Amino acid sequence: MATDPLAPRALKLTAADGYPLAATLYPANQPVGQILVGSATGVPQGFYRRFAEYAASHGYTTLTLDYRGIGASAPASLKGFEMDYLDWADKDLAAGVDYLSQSDLPLYLVGHSFGGHAFGLLPNRDAITAVHTFGTGAGWHGWMPKGESRKVQVMWNLVLPLIVRIKGYQAWNWLGMGEDLPKGVYRDWKHWCRYPRYFFEDPNMAWLTDHFAAVRTPIKAAVSLDDLWAGPASRDAFMSAFTGADYQAQDIDPKALGLKPLGHMGYFRAYAEPLWRDALDWFAHYPTAAQAASRHKETA
């Protein structure tokens, strides 16, 4: 039986340090571009399947992947599993960039929450033509509504430390909040969420200021007005680091668009399809990396 060339294909990628990563390629018929999906913290790649299928059906070959410690890229047990949070960016997502860069088609990144953080950390970020983020913010509780801020502080300071002490990793499943997280992710995430501008204010990460300022890739950063974790103020606090990029902010009002509530996760649920169309239309303005750079020079 002949294999359908447009059927999703499971892949195994290898990160720069040799770690094996589970990925899925969604081929497009007569593709005009490629999209790499940068997942949110603790979200397995299957969550982005509908978006990937939609993008592929509209001419964008799309790649999703599980970061190490998540989904099909996780070891049998997270207890004793050692890694840093940034490994998801400069090793794991970077492996996705390397894989798609084998093609001459323009490469775009769709980043969800942490996926937007990861872009600036990629060693091969210049291979990406344009970036569209959803729900990327600074993570500080002070940017959140008061009620949510209090809940988040209780989680960080009381609940999660106890769980990590017992289990040896961040057992989200105990709380019904999603995938379990490696201890290193919990450690770094908690530390950086202490700061209004996230890791940019960590004295040990001072190098990031110049690193992010050097980005020239066009970026569009969208957040929903009902996103309690990454609203406009949180988004702006993080994205202000991209001082040299052609940058656009987008505030989404789901009610005005006739959408169900989006929150922090709804951007990639089936009812958010109008947002996906907007993202693809925006990518179409940047058909090549060279043209994107030219547009930036014209507007600088």
Side-chain angles (χ1 to χ4, degrees):
M1 181 181 293
T3 302
D4 181 358
L6 299 182
R9 299 202 299 269
L11 302 174
K12 280 292 183 183
L13 305 181
T14 303
D17 62 349
Y19 193 93
L21 302 166
T24 304
L25 186 72
Y26 297 81
N29 186 28
Q30 298 182 335
V32 297
Q34 306 172 102
I35 292 175
L36 174 62
V37 177
S39 306
T41 299
V43 179
Q45 62 171 319
F47 181 72
Y48 303 99
R49 175 183 59 82
R50 290 187 181 88
F51 168 78
E53 291 174 342
Y54 177 87
S57 71
H58 286 75
Y60 291 85
T61 292
T62 301
L63 182 72
T64 62
L65 60 86
D66 284 325
Y67 303 131
R68 66 188 64 196
I70 299 298
S73 296
S77 173
L78 288 179
K79 190 171 184 177
F81 181 65
E82 296 293 332
M83 61 161 288
D84 295 327
Y85 197 5
L86 297 189
D87 290 342
W88 285 356
D90 60 19
K91 296 182 178 68
D92 299 354
L93 198 62
V97 175
D98 285 341
Y99 177 84
L100 292 176
S101 293
Q102 299 174 69
S103 168
D104 292 332
L105 290 169
L107 171 58
Y108 307 100
L109 175 71
V110 169
H112 181 204
S113 194
F114 171 80
H117 300 165
F119 164 67
L121 299 159
L122 293 172
N124 46 9
R125 66 192 185 191
D126 288 344
I128 295 175
T129 297
V131 177
H132 197 302
T133 67
F134 291 100
T136 294
W140 180 53
H141 67 86
W143 299 124
M144 302 175 186
K146 288 184 179 180
E148 190 68 17
S149 176
R150 285 192 291 268
K151 287 195 297 185
V152 166
Q153 289 181 81
V154 169
M155 291 292 291
W156 278 132
N157 298 319
L158 296 176
V159 179
L160 295 180
L162 178 61
I163 291 176
V164 171
R165 196 174 304 122
I166 294 171
K167 298 287 286 184
Y169 54 90
Q170 188 179 2
W172 277 126
N173 270 333
W174 271 22
L175 304 174
M177 297 179 67
E179 289 273 314
D180 294 337
L181 300 178
K183 186 176 180 179
V185 171
Y186 159 79
R187 176 197 64 224
D188 297 341
W189 193 16
K190 179 183 178 183
H191 178 66
W192 292 329
C193 283
R194 296 167 50 204
Y195 302 110
R197 294 191 62 242
Y198 202 56
F199 49 40
F200 298 109
E201 294 187 61
D202 182 345
N204 294 321
M205 305 287 282
W207 59 275
L208 284 178
T209 298
D210 290 340
H211 191 63
F212 273 62
V215 169
R216 297 294 179 267
T217 306
I219 301 171
K220 186 173 183 179
V223 296
S224 178
L225 298 180
D226 66 353
D227 187 336
L228 301 182
W229 289 2
S234 181
R235 184 263 322 276
D236 295 345
F238 186 87
M239 291 295 171
S240 63
F242 291 107
T243 56
D246 178 0
Y247 171 70
Q248 298 178 40
Q250 180 186 14
D251 295 345
I252 300 169
D253 183 346
K255 288 185 178 179
L257 295 175
L259 299 176
K260 296 178 183 178
L262 292 171
H264 194 61
M265 301 299 292
Y267 305 102
F268 293 93
R269 301 195 188 280
Y271 58 80
E273 184 176 304
L275 306 181
W276 309 345
R277 178 71 264 174
D278 288 347
L280 299 188
D281 288 345
W282 186 75
F283 285 148
H285 290 290
Y286 300 95
T288 67
Q291 180 168 334
S294 175
R295 283 173 180 262
H296 175 78
K297 290 178 181 178
E298 292 172 0
T299 57

